[in-house]
Amino acid sequence: MLTRFFMVVIVVPIAVILIALAVANRALVPFTMDPFNPGNPALTIQMPFFIYLFLMLIIGALIGSFATWLAQHRYRKLARQRGLEVDNLRVVANRANEVPTAPVSASATGTALART
């Protein structure tokens, strides 16, 4: 239900706007990569303007995603550390719940049990 709501409220209007931009901006526009000699045909690309718009939209989304990924690094690191800690605690808990078949002695630290 929430996905359908997301599609109708956000994606459909954006798609309509992008289609309208594509239809309205079909003229060829030169893009030159030589700022000192803009007439150089070797470094000039001519494409419809809406392609430039779509490329900038895609590049902006990629840059924003990468920036978000970098900003969330500390949270992913903390989650990894806590996951390892939980795994270690589960191992210790499983060892403590085992029924020993041999005499049990305290380990060197005195906090965990070890079989001898």
Side-chain angles (χ1 to χ4, degrees), residues 12-71:
V12 171
I14 289 175
V16 169
I17 291 169
L18 289 176
I19 291 170
L21 282 173
V23 170
N25 295 297
R26 293 178 299 188
L28 292 178
V29 177
F31 178 75
T32 184
M33 292 178 251
D34 187 1
F36 303 111
N37 186 8
N40 187 358
L43 297 174
T44 301
I45 301 171
Q46 288 198 356
M47 292 189 287
F49 187 65
F50 72 91
I51 292 178
Y52 296 124
L53 291 174
F54 289 163
L55 286 175
M56 289 302 114
L57 180 71
I58 292 168
I59 290 171
L62 291 174
I63 290 172
S65 299
F66 183 69
T68 302
W69 181 77
L70 283 178

Side-chain angles (χ1 to χ4, degrees), residues 86-108:
V86 167
D87 290 342
N88 290 336
L89 289 173
R90 283 187 181 144
V91 168
V92 170
N94 287 339
R95 286 184 185 161
N97 290 336
E98 289 178 357
V99 177
T101 56
V104 176
S105 65
S107 66

Side-chain angles (χ1 to χ4, degrees), residues 71-86:
Q72 293 174 349
H73 169 72
R74 63 177 168 209
Y75 302 114
R76 288 191 312 275
K77 182 178 178 181
L78 184 62
R80 264 193 315 273
Q81 290 172 346
R82 288 187 178 169
L84 289 174
E85 185 177 332
V86 167

